[in-house]
Amino acid sequence: MSTASAVRAGDVVRQAGRLFGGLLPGRADWAAVRRSPRRDLLAGLTVAVVALPLALAFGVTSGLGAQAGLVTAVVAGAVAAVFGGSNLQVSGPTGAMTVVLVPVVQQFGAGGVLMVGALAGLILIALALARLGRYVRYLPAPVIEGFTAGIAVVIALQQVPAALGVTGAHGEKVWAVAADAVARFAAHPRPAAIAVALGVAALMLLGGRWRPAVPFSLVGVAAATLLAELAPIDLTRIGELPQGLPAPSLDFVDLGALGVLLPSALAVAALAALESLLSATVADGMTVGERHDPDRELFGQGLANLASPVFGGIPATAAIARTAVNVRAGASSKLAALTHAVALAAIVLAAAPLVGRIPLAALAGVLLATTVRMVEAASLLALMRATRADAVVLVLTFAVTVIWDLVTAVVVGLAVAVVLALRAVARSARLEQVPLDTGEHSAEEHALLAEHIVAYRLDGPLFFAAAHTFLLELAEVSDVRVVILRMSRVSTVDATGAQVLGDAVARLRARGITVLLSGITPGHDQVLSTLGVADELRREGLVFADTPAAIRYARGVALAARPAWASVPSSARPRPPRTIR
């Protein structure tokens, strides 16, 4: 290799190091694994027991089948465990993701879902490289709680056909499909399916309160499968599953469909980022000393979503429920999540025929119980009572999630939250007249100054949402010779606020009023200078570093311009005519 080639290769390596710096596994991960490997192995096995029925159920609900759910839990779970930014996260298929995927399956088929997953993986990697993970924390709590509750309702509605033992129900929206299933069930009742679904759900909810450490989801599914095998009841089963993971394939790649699938991919990526980072935050809160890396977590989820479609899996994200089980089981490193994925792979290899005999109604019961656990009634009620704005955002996000879709709900919730927040901030901006310290002056001069000098203090943000109110209030100033605008308490200035300030100054000067500015901070001064606001005032020496200097100048202007009768005693002055109303 020539010297020039070696230099170029070195430059490429250094650029790659800067690009991926901090996103790849390091020594700290290995050090965490060595702390307590036995406890991590046991925690991983515990999570696998809990995750098995959920992976099957979410795979079925997504429309790609139980096998896709298992593949996702194995492949995405392993990749995210190795490359993710949390020692405690457990990734795989989730209910929130199936809500987004069902319309994609209906419109584009299984290949479209795989393509959407791969595109979402690329988007997540791009977000990680741009170091945008930290900004997810700014999502308002009412939006999060609103769409979480909405997702729970949507997942419950998705289970209605399987819980009622109905096949062939259809509709454009999930609530329409559920309504059609109820109508079909009323025409031809099948009590066995609904009894199994409700029985499994009740066992999970009641048993979970009695013995939280027992995996009642697996117990319920096993009991329902045994009942279906021994009793003469008609229940739809999962069906035959292949033993082992499918061979890797890129047959789903369709570059011509990029434009059509990109909106769905953006929605999947946004949901994966949001759910994963929220789950990591919850996991941190359940431990002492653990802190996740948000950018690395996005990178790990991106790689997981790139790998999962190659084996026929659906898009994945971190799962709060499985992560919480992992933490409670004593996990302290990535080894636990990796063990969970390996254990599920072993189940696929050894027990695929048995898994295929599980009734769909049992899996529906698992998800019905899961939706109940997703909704925290106390948190919802607290937000509803907090402020009217929070209640509006929460209810609106919830309703749009159920009626339309999750992506629309998040967009609408964020938009309304931003508008209400701007409204609240704009209301905090004040234009307040303040008294002047007239100092050592005669009573006549005091009166003159009070009549002809007005000082206003601007408090809060001067930005587009508050600028119009500011202009209206300042336009009402009359019967004065000098106006002092005190800017030291202005918290922020944007282009609109600066332009409105310039417009107000120009209007006052057009009426013969001298305008002085004082206390402009350097950051705000840069905005005003860039937009050319108050340039004329600067040239005339009417911009002051502090308010006392501005007041001294204003006194000089007012006293120099006082009328000849200002020194005459007030009793001898001519009185203005009275206006009779």
Side-chain angles (χ1 to χ4, degrees):
M1 180 183 295
S2 66
T3 303
S5 299
V7 171
R8 285 196 296 270
D11 290 340
V12 171
V13 171
R14 283 190 291 272
Q15 290 175 2
R18 287 193 293 267
L19 186 63
F20 292 96
L23 298 179
L24 299 175
R27 294 181 180 178
D29 300 314
W30 175 240
V33 168
R34 289 186 296 177
R35 281 201 299 263
S36 52
R38 180 178 299 180
R39 191 169 61 179
D40 287 332
L41 290 172
L42 291 176
L45 293 174
T46 302
V47 177
V49 171
V50 175
L52 175 61
L54 291 174
L56 295 170
F58 289 136
V60 172
T61 302
S62 71
L64 267 67
Q67 180 188 5
L70 281 175
V71 168
T72 305
V74 173
V75 177
V79 174
V82 174
F83 292 96
S86 170
N87 285 329
L88 308 174
Q89 288 269 49
V90 179
S91 298
T94 65
M97 193 63 76
T98 62
V99 173
V100 180
L101 295 179
V102 169
V104 178
V105 175
Q106 294 173 348
Q107 189 173 358
F108 304 107
V113 173
L114 301 182
M115 188 68 178
V116 163
L119 288 174
L122 293 174
I123 294 170
L124 288 170
I125 291 174
L127 293 177
L129 295 176
R131 303 301 195 268
L132 297 179
R134 71 196 72 177
Y135 295 107
V136 174
R137 72 186 68 172
Y138 298 120
L139 196 66
V143 175
I144 296 173
E145 294 291 343
F147 83 69
T148 300
I151 286 170
V153 172
V154 171
I155 295 173
L157 291 174
Q158 287 175 342
Q159 308 317 306
V160 170
L164 298 179
V166 173
T167 57
H170 61 274
E172 291 187 3
K173 298 295 181 181
V174 64
W175 48 267
V177 176
D180 185 52
V182 171
R184 290 170 183 261
F185 177 81
H188 302 285
R190 300 178 64 183
I194 191 171
V196 167
L198 294 179
V200 171
L203 179 63
M204 287 180 61
L205 295 174
L206 298 177
R209 292 191 173 187
W210 176 53
R211 288 285 190 272
V214 177
F216 282 102
S217 59
L218 189 61
V219 172
V221 169
T225 305
L226 185 62
L227 177 65
E229 292 295 323
L230 299 178
I233 55 178
D234 183 21
L235 292 173
T236 305
R237 315 297 182 95
I238 287 178
E240 184 178 355
L241 293 176
Q243 289 185 293
L245 296 176
S249 172
L250 295 176
D251 292 342
F252 64 88
V253 176
D254 182 6
L255 298 180
L258 286 177
V260 179
L261 296 176
L262 186 58
S264 299
L266 289 170
V268 169
L271 180 59
L274 176 63
E275 193 167 7
S276 296
L277 294 179
L278 287 177
S279 175
T281 302
V282 171
D284 290 347
M286 296 175 66
T287 61
V288 177
E290 284 289 344
R291 290 294 178 268
H292 71 281
D293 183 333
D295 297 319
R296 187 176 170 189
E297 181 62 28
L298 290 182
F299 185 71
Q301 294 298 331
L303 293 178
N305 279 283
L306 273 179
S308 182
V310 175
F311 292 89
I314 60 178
T317 180
I320 295 178
R322 277 161 274 179
T323 298
V325 171
N326 195 39
V327 175
R328 287 196 293 265
S332 61
S333 76
K334 297 172 178 293
L335 180 61
L338 186 60
T339 301
H340 136 272
V342 173
L344 289 177
I347 292 173
V348 172
L349 291 171
L354 180 60
V355 171
R357 301 297 297 169
I358 295 175
L360 292 179
L363 298 182
V366 171
L367 293 187
L368 287 174
T370 301
T371 60
V372 174
R373 291 173 174 175
M374 285 176 65
V375 179
E376 297 184 7
S379 178
L380 290 176
L381 290 176
L383 284 173
M384 291 289 290
R385 294 169 180 168
T387 65
R388 185 177 299 177
D390 289 333
V392 169
V393 172
L394 190 153
V395 171
L396 188 61
T397 306
F398 169 81
V400 176
T401 300
V402 175
I403 297 173
W404 281 282
D405 59 73
L406 181 64
V407 179
T408 304
V410 173
V411 172
V412 170
L414 279 175
V416 174
V418 168
V419 169
L420 293 177
L422 289 176
R423 178 170 172 263
V425 172
R427 285 184 170 183
S428 69
R430 297 192 307 274
L431 182 68
E432 181 181 2
Q433 183 176 348
V434 293
L436 293 175
D437 180 12
T438 53
E440 297 296 330
H441 290 274
S442 65
E444 299 298 331
E445 289 175 330
H446 285 181
L448 183 63
L449 293 174
E451 289 175 4
H452 294 287
I453 299 177
V454 177
Y456 286 98
R457 183 176 61 216
L458 282 70
D459 286 328
L462 181 59
F463 71 134
F464 69 94
H468 182 65
T469 302
F470 164 78
L471 180 60
L472 291 179
E473 291 187 26
L474 201 56
E476 295 178 358
V477 175
S478 60
D479 300 327
V480 298
R481 190 175 302 280
V482 183
V483 169
I484 303 173
L485 297 180
R486 300 174 59 178
M487 307 282 290
S488 58
R489 294 194 182 184
V490 174
S491 57
T492 184
V493 176
D494 69 354
T496 304
Q499 290 176 349
V500 168
L501 174 64
D503 189 20
V505 170
R507 293 190 184 191
L508 292 173
R509 285 167 63 87
R511 291 160 48 193
I513 299 174
T514 301
V515 180
L516 312 179
L517 300 182
S518 70
I520 304 175
T521 62
H524 301 160
D525 193 35
Q526 181 180 2
V527 177
L528 298 180
S529 299
T530 302
L531 296 175
V533 175
D535 283 351
E536 191 172 348
L537 296 185
R538 296 176 196 277
R539 288 192 296 269
E540 297 176 7
L542 302 180
V543 177
F544 299 87
D546 53 58
T547 301
I551 292 176
R552 286 194 296 271
Y553 185 91
R555 287 174 181 160
V557 172
L559 293 175
R562 61 182 177 177
W565 46 262
S567 58
V568 179
S570 57
S571 58
R573 291 183 185 177
R575 297 185 180 276
R578 295 179 59 188
T579 302
I580 302 176
R581 297 176 181 267

